[in-house]
Amino acid sequence: MNTSRWEDAQEYEKNWWARHSEAMDPGFYKYYADELLDALKGLMTISDQTRILEIGSGAAGILTCLKNTHRFAIDTLEDYYSTVEKFVQFRDPSVRYFKAKGEKIPFDDLSFDLIIMDNVLDHCERPHQVMVEICRVLKQGGMAFFRQNTYHLWGTFIRKALEGFQIDKGHPHTFTKRYLENEMKALGLTILKRKKRGYFRTWARELTSGKLIDLVKAFLFAPRDKTLYVVKKTVPT
């Protein structure tokens, strides 16, 4: 993907947050944090010494609702989020936020026990490089929590065919589960848990939303399936 397409997506993302910030309740991050903790049950216990990085933390990030000492967050739009008073007030001030890309994470090798990336990979400029960087900074035996919209083969074909029209301006990339899982395995990440919402639920919601873009996606049968993964780094990088 060329850089200008990614920059257009970033501008769209920033404008989306700006339009919705006044009415938005950042409390949804608490719900997401509870989902993360539930996903990690039986796999990992977050202690005060657990080093956590969230990639694409947005307004505050899931990690602002986790309670431990070593929490770090990166986002390419951090210089915007840090100027919105509502977001700043909601954030836990002990979390350290940085403006940075997932393609070039500003931390040393083997720095983190847990990495969080919640519906972010399809916003990135070079998703494969982001995955490589995650493996670089994740400790041996460390875990990563991924949640990502995925599509079946037909949905992927439709979305890529429509990409020239930028129907979905904020999401320049489209993934199948097979692609993501092959990528993880190739990089030495073992899938410990996978949970999917299902295509039909999204399709039914889009069909009845009343929004033109949703109706187009529903009639083309290109719904997304929100898929959650917990993976463990098992092969040294």
Side-chain angles (χ1 to χ4, degrees):
M1 183 183 68
N2 61 54
T3 300
S4 63
R5 174 66 180 95
W6 175 76
E7 290 172 345
D8 288 344
Q10 289 289 289
E11 187 65 20
Y12 175 87
E13 187 76 6
K14 179 180 176 180
N15 291 337
W16 186 93
W17 283 93
R19 290 195 309 272
H20 293 86
S21 62
E22 187 173 337
M24 181 182 296
D25 177 8
F28 68 84
Y29 282 115
K30 176 62 169 63
Y31 176 78
Y32 289 167
D34 289 342
E35 286 187 318
L36 177 142
L37 293 173
D38 184 66
L40 293 178
K41 280 182 181 177
L43 301 175
M44 179 186 213
T45 300
I46 297 177
S47 72
D48 189 56
Q49 297 306 309
T50 305
R51 290 179 60 85
I52 306 172
L53 170 68
E54 183 162 3
I55 300 170
S57 50
I62 290 173
L63 81 176
T64 205
C65 297
L66 302 177
K67 301 304 177 186
N68 81 322
T69 302
H70 307 288
R71 288 170 293 162
F72 304 82
I74 64 171
D75 197 293
T76 54
L77 296 176
E78 172 57 20
D79 54 355
Y80 162 70
Y81 297 124
S82 62
T83 66
V84 180
E85 186 62 26
K86 176 187 285 190
F87 299 161
V88 174
Q89 288 180 353
F90 183 81
R91 290 176 169 188
D92 184 334
S94 65
V95 176
R96 281 162 277 186
Y97 293 89
F98 301 88
K99 178 178 180 177
K101 296 176 68 175
E103 289 87 347
K104 193 173 182 180
I105 298 174
F107 295 100
D108 293 337
D109 296 356
L110 310 177
S111 292
F112 296 100
D113 303 289
L114 174 65
I115 292 178
I116 302 167
M117 191 163 64
D118 191 8
N119 210 22
V120 169
L121 196 62
D122 52 351
H123 294 268
C124 297
E125 184 177 4
R126 291 177 292 153
H128 173 73
Q129 183 59 32
V130 175
M131 297 293 291
V132 170
E133 278 288 275
I134 287 172
C135 292
R136 180 184 67 80
V137 300
L138 190 61
K139 293 180 181 179
Q140 187 65 21
M143 295 189 188
F145 171 92
F146 290 98
R147 186 157 43 192
Q148 184 59 56
N149 289 333
T150 58
Y151 296 83
H152 49 55
L153 287 175
W154 172 252
T156 301
F157 171 78
I158 290 295
R159 284 182 58 84
K160 289 185 177 180
L162 294 176
E163 170 58 21
F165 300 99
Q166 293 191 20
I167 298 297
D168 191 349
K169 294 182 179 179
H171 301 85
H173 297 283
T174 300
F175 306 112
T176 63
K177 293 180 184 66
R178 177 176 292 182
Y179 171 84
L180 289 179
E181 293 173 13
N182 286 343
E183 186 84 345
M184 293 170 186
K185 292 173 184 176
L187 291 170
L189 298 172
T190 299
I191 298 170
L192 302 180
K193 183 177 290 188
R194 186 183 83 167
K195 181 180 180 181
K196 57 184 182 178
R197 176 178 293 178
Y199 293 113
F200 182 77
R201 289 177 60 183
T202 305
W203 178 80
R205 187 170 64 250
E206 289 174 344
L207 190 64
T208 57
S209 75
K211 296 179 181 179
L212 178 59
I213 183 60
D214 286 344
L215 287 173
V216 170
K217 289 188 287 186
F219 281 113
L220 290 173
F221 198 67
R224 64 188 181 276
D225 185 2
K226 187 170 285 189
T227 308
L228 180 155
Y229 294 97
V230 178
V231 301
K232 182 176 183 178
K233 181 177 174 180
T234 54
V235 177
T237 55

